[in-house]
Amino acid sequence: NIDHHAPVDAMARLVSSANLALVRVARLGTASPNTRVLLTHTDCDSILSAGIVAGRLPPLPHYGDAALAADHTGADHPVADLLQAIQDRREVEYAFEMLACLEGGRPLPPDAARLLDARRRKRDDAANAVTQGRFEQLGEGIWFAEFSGETDGEFFPALLPEAQLIVVGVPH
C-alpha cells in the first residue's frame, strides 16, 4: 500500500504518495505487470500514485505537483481539481479516462464537467471568503473564520500563505 506516507522525520515535509511513486519509478521502474496496486480511496493522490507505479501513467513531475496541491497546498492545479472533483464516484478507470480527456485537450463528458464546475465554484467561494475579510487573525500565523454552512477548507492554505494554522468553524 503506497497511498500513505510514514510518520517519520524524513517525511515531515510536503510530500504525497504520488511524489514517492515518482521517486520509486525513477529508481526501480514501474511494478511488474502481475503486481497488484491497492487503492484505499480514489482522490487525486491515490489515482496518480497507483497509475505511476502500475505504469498506467508516465512519471511526470506535474503529477507530483498535482498531488501536493490536492493534499497540502490547495493551489489551483487542473489535474488536482479534476481528480478531486470526481473522487466520490470511486471509479478508478473513470478517473484515468477523465485524466486522458483533460491532458489530451478533449472535452469532459457532462457529468465530469458538472463536478469540475462545482469544484471551481467552491474554490471561488473560498477565495471570496478571504478577499471579503471573513478570516480574522487570532495570533501570529493563526487565522480563523466562522461559516454558517459547509465549506471546503482544502483551498485555504493557498489563499492564506502566511498562516501556520487555519481554523474554520462550521456548525453541525
Side-chain angles (χ1 to χ4, degrees):
N1 183 349
I2 60 165
D3 189 43
H4 296 280
H5 41 87
V8 296
D9 287 343
M11 292 188 179
R13 56 191 166 87
L14 289 182
V15 64
S16 290
S17 299
N19 304 106
L20 301 176
L22 290 168
V23 170
R24 190 251 188 236
V25 168
R27 290 184 183 162
L28 303 172
T30 59
S32 63
N34 62 345
T35 300
R36 293 182 183 181
V37 177
L38 171 68
L39 280 84
T40 58
H41 45 282
T42 53
D43 66 354
C44 175
D45 189 38
S46 300
I47 294 297
L48 294 176
S49 59
I52 292 165
V53 167
R56 298 276 313 265
L57 297 173
L60 301 174
H62 81 272
Y63 290 150
D65 297 339
L68 291 178
D71 277 0
H72 296 288
T73 67
D76 188 1
H77 192 287
V79 170
D81 282 340
L82 172 64
L83 293 176
Q84 290 295 98
I86 64 172
Q87 70 179 318
D88 289 340
R89 287 187 57 138
R90 300 191 57 81
E91 296 177 30
V92 176
E93 289 304 318
Y94 180 79
F96 287 131
E97 291 169 18
M98 295 307 99
L99 184 56
C101 285
L102 175 73
E103 294 194 320
R106 296 187 309 274
L108 296 172
D111 58 330
R114 179 182 47 79
L115 292 169
L116 181 56
D117 286 343
R119 179 168 174 84
R120 288 180 177 146
R121 282 192 302 278
K122 288 179 183 180
R123 180 179 291 286
D124 290 344
D125 290 346
N128 289 335
V130 172
T131 58
Q132 293 169 0
R134 298 275 308 269
F135 280 84
E136 172 185 359
Q137 189 169 5
L138 299 180
E140 177 123 7
I142 302 171
W143 292 84
F144 171 79
E146 188 173 336
F147 293 85
S148 59
E150 189 174 318
T151 188
D152 282 357
E154 67 187 275
F155 302 120
F156 293 123
L159 298 168
L160 295 165
E162 68 280 10
Q164 294 176 16
L165 175 66
I166 300 169
V167 180
V168 176
V170 180
H172 289 278

